[in-house]
């Protein structure tokens, strides 16, 4: 099972990858939205903002998200680490119910270029 530190590091790595994106993926990363990532097996939530092509984590707290973020992600810690490492395909994980992503329809269309 991934630790909180490994999950935070994975989010940081994903943020670094987004910042280096080009083309349509860069436009998707340029959104300015509130974000939450609930790590279900650890029952911890990272909350912050997607801004300037990066995910800035402002708060880490136990339990589910305290506020409804504009972009909400929920998954197990091992799945987050595997997604960021490229060992797990997002579409496959989402299709099998291992990852939940909730956002407005327009944001989902933009985010698919990143994922």
């Amino acid at each position: 099972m991934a630790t909180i530190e490994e999950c935070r590091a994975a989010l940081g790595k994903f943020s670094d990858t987004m910042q280096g994106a080009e083309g349509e993926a860069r436009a998707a990363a340029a959104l300015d939205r509130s974000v939450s990532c609930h790590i279900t097996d650890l029952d911890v939530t990272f909350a912050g903002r997607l801004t300037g092509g990066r995910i800035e984590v402002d708060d880490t707290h136990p339990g589910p998200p305290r506020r409804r973020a504009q972009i909400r992600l929920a998954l197990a810690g091992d799945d987050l680490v595997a997604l960021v490492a490229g060992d797990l395909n997002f579409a496959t994980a989402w299709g099998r119910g291992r990852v939940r992503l909730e956002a407005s329809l327009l944001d989902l269309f933009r985010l698919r270029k990143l994922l």
Side-chain angles (χ1 to χ4, degrees):
M1 178 189 311
T3 66
I4 292 173
E5 293 78 21
E6 289 170 323
C7 292
R8 182 181 292 280
L11 285 172
K13 183 177 178 185
F14 180 60
S15 182
D16 292 343
T17 301
M18 284 190 333
Q19 193 167 34
E22 297 189 13
E24 290 181 352
R26 184 172 198 67
L31 292 172
D32 184 11
R33 302 285 188 271
S34 60
V35 177
S36 68
C37 180
H38 183 226
I39 308 301
T40 55
D41 56 335
L42 299 174
D43 197 26
V44 67
T45 297
F46 296 97
R49 190 143 201 98
L50 170 61
T51 184
R54 294 194 55 82
I55 297 172
E56 301 294 335
V57 176
D58 300 326
D59 186 26
T60 303
H61 59 268
R66 294 178 179 161
R67 291 184 207 99
R68 183 177 170 90
Q70 292 167 303
I71 299 171
R72 299 166 304 281
L73 185 65
L75 68 167
D78 287 342
D79 288 339
L80 173 62
V81 171
L83 281 169
V84 172
D87 298 331
L88 179 63
N89 178 279
F90 180 84
T92 302
W94 178 75
R96 292 183 179 164
R98 292 172 62 179
V99 175
R100 283 192 334 255
L101 175 64
E102 298 175 8
S104 72
L105 188 58
L106 183 57
D107 285 347
L108 288 172
F109 281 126
R110 289 180 181 154
L111 289 170
R112 72 181 165 85
K113 294 175 178 87
L114 284 174
L115 305 170

